[in-house]
Amino acid sequence: MSENLNCSKLIDGKALSAEIRQSLKSRSEVFEKSFGRKVGLAVILVGEDPASKIYVGNKIKACEEVGLKSFAYYLPEGASKKEIIELIETLNSDSCVDGILVQLPLPNKSDESEILSHVLPSKDVDGFHAVNAGNLLLGNENLTACTPSGIIELIKSTGISIEGKHAVVLGRSNIVGKPIAMLLLQNDATVTVCHSKTRNISDITKQADILVVAIGKKEFVTGDMIKKGAVVIDVGMNRVDGKLYGDVNFEQASKHASYITPVPGGVGPMTITMLMSNTLKAAMGGGK
Ligand code: NAP
């Protein structure tokens, strides 16, 4: 955590990630000694999307860093739904593969939900399977989506308690907005979820002790939308002319927030770290 010129403190996702990865490395070494093999993560990339290639590369690098074995499968853009599902079924029954990740978006977006439903829930380290999403809703132990899990770690790293706080989430996607709202609720926050049809959004954001923004709109949240002393988590990743911007105007928000995540270097690194954590959890039977 470092002081920011504008008075809010930076929540350093890179530093927190590095710390957690150290402990994951020790745990993966213990696993290897006990079971005579490394924890395994299979990553499936379909097509040539440049951003997806970078994300997959970063995930493979992270596996090396924490001592996991990665199995990468690169399928051509034209791979059929049947081919992808067959590969998933093979990996489901491979005892050296503890986690399976299908990099999204798939070239054919309309196939995504059906394809993901074939990943065994106990190997669904992205936490996107309906069984894992349902278990999150019910408050059962499960494999929880990586970005939301990382956000909770980032908030906890500030030392500020979530209990009793008013948490406002902007965005209601299945991969960020809904699961982070559930996790905040489980951590005893009072949660408000806003979306594109929400009226007078700044009246709501101004009441937030914890504000999580995941809408994919460059610098949508301005300083006047933030309550003094709020914890602000910016999930947005908006690439404009080769530069990465968050959903929050960092310069302005820093004048109001007590703690804030930067983009890049906030939520992003934590997402991959939580993927590593989920894979270890799956290997230890925690996803069952
Ligand atoms: P998404 O599926 O496109 O969902 C966007 C959500 O924002 C929707 O619920 C939408 O409302 C809402 N929204 C859009 N415009 C709004 C507005 N003007 N006011 C209020 N709500 C609005 O996006 P996502 O997958 O959740 O991702 C959100 C952002 O986070 C993107 O920039 C993405 O790149 C980034 N992201 C980052 C990471 C990371 O690791 N750092 C991981 C995942 C995503 P409706 O439901 O009404 O349409």
Side-chain angles (χ1 to χ4, degrees):
M1 203 99 45
S2 54
E3 278 292 346
N4 174 333
L5 285 176
N6 290 315
C7 86
S8 64
K9 291 184 183 128
L10 211 59
I11 310 177
D12 186 342
K14 266 195 198 161
L16 182 60
S17 259
E19 207 179 290
I20 297 174
R21 285 185 193 191
Q22 267 308 319
S23 99
L24 294 175
K25 189 166 192 273
S26 312
R27 283 171 52 203
S28 74
E29 284 165 2
V30 170
F31 180 95
E32 193 175 350
K33 277 198 191 110
S34 312
F35 295 95
R37 69 166 180 91
K38 284 183 191 289
V39 171
L41 173 65
V43 182
I44 302 172
L45 174 63
V46 185
E48 301 289 330
D49 180 65
S52 293
K53 279 185 176 171
I54 294 173
Y55 296 143
V56 164
N58 289 341
K59 286 166 189 177
I60 290 170
K61 236 190 273 166
C63 282
E64 283 160 18
E65 193 186 328
V66 302
L68 269 54
K69 183 165 173 54
S70 59
F71 304 89
Y73 296 87
Y74 299 98
L75 302 187
E77 181 104 16
S80 68
K81 184 162 72 178
K82 186 167 171 277
E83 279 173 272
I84 304 170
I85 291 171
E86 275 170 8
L87 173 58
I88 291 173
E89 304 286 10
T90 305
L91 297 171
N92 278 343
S93 50
D94 185 336
S95 57
C96 290
V97 172
D98 302 289
I100 302 169
L101 177 145
V102 181
Q103 184 63 45
L104 301 181
L106 289 172
N108 193 347
K109 261 191 97 59
S110 61
D111 288 345
E112 280 179 4
S113 147
E114 188 187 341
I115 286 172
L116 292 181
S117 74
H118 285 267
V119 176
L120 209 57
S122 58
K123 294 192 179 190
D124 167 41
V125 285
D126 252 343
F128 294 161
H129 193 286
V131 167
N132 285 319
N135 276 326
L136 172 62
L137 188 73
L138 297 175
N140 296 336
E141 174 66 14
N142 74 328
L143 292 168
T144 305
C146 301
T147 302
S149 306
I151 293 171
I152 293 293
E153 295 300 324
L154 288 163
I155 298 170
K156 286 186 174 169
S157 76
T158 65
I160 290 178
S161 167
I162 298 173
E163 185 186 312
K165 298 286 165 30
H166 184 194
V168 173
V169 177
L170 300 197
R172 58 173 166 180
S173 71
N174 290 336
I175 64 167
V176 189
K178 284 181 199 163
I180 186 58
M182 280 304 125
L183 286 176
L184 288 162
L185 196 58
Q186 271 170 26
N187 279 274
D188 297 323
T190 302
V191 183
T192 304
V193 181
C194 303
H195 45 79
S196 67
K197 308 288 186 291
T198 302
R199 294 180 190 159
N200 305 323
I201 214 162
S202 64
D203 288 350
I204 301 169
T205 59
K206 274 191 271 191
Q207 295 172 34
D209 303 308
I210 297 169
L211 179 62
V212 178
V213 191
I215 60 173
K217 297 258 179 297
K218 180 192 163 200
E219 298 184 340
F220 177 88
V221 172
T222 47
D224 57 335
M225 294 169 74
I226 297 170
K227 178 177 171 180
K228 194 93 196 142
V231 175
V232 176
I233 306 291
D234 187 354
V235 188
M237 290 200 308
N238 308 289
R239 211 168 279 279
V240 180
D241 297 330
K243 195 173 173 233
L244 198 59
Y245 295 86
D247 286 346
V248 176
N249 181 317
F250 182 85
E251 191 58 36
Q252 293 179 17
S254 300
K255 297 187 177 122
H256 300 261
S258 57
Y259 291 90
I260 184 166
T261 56
V263 177
V267 174
M270 284 300 286
T271 296
I272 297 187
T273 297
M274 298 324 283
L275 172 70
M276 301 297 113
S277 170
N278 269 355
T279 309
L280 261 159
K281 192 173 173 185
M284 306 299 282
K288 293 187 178 76

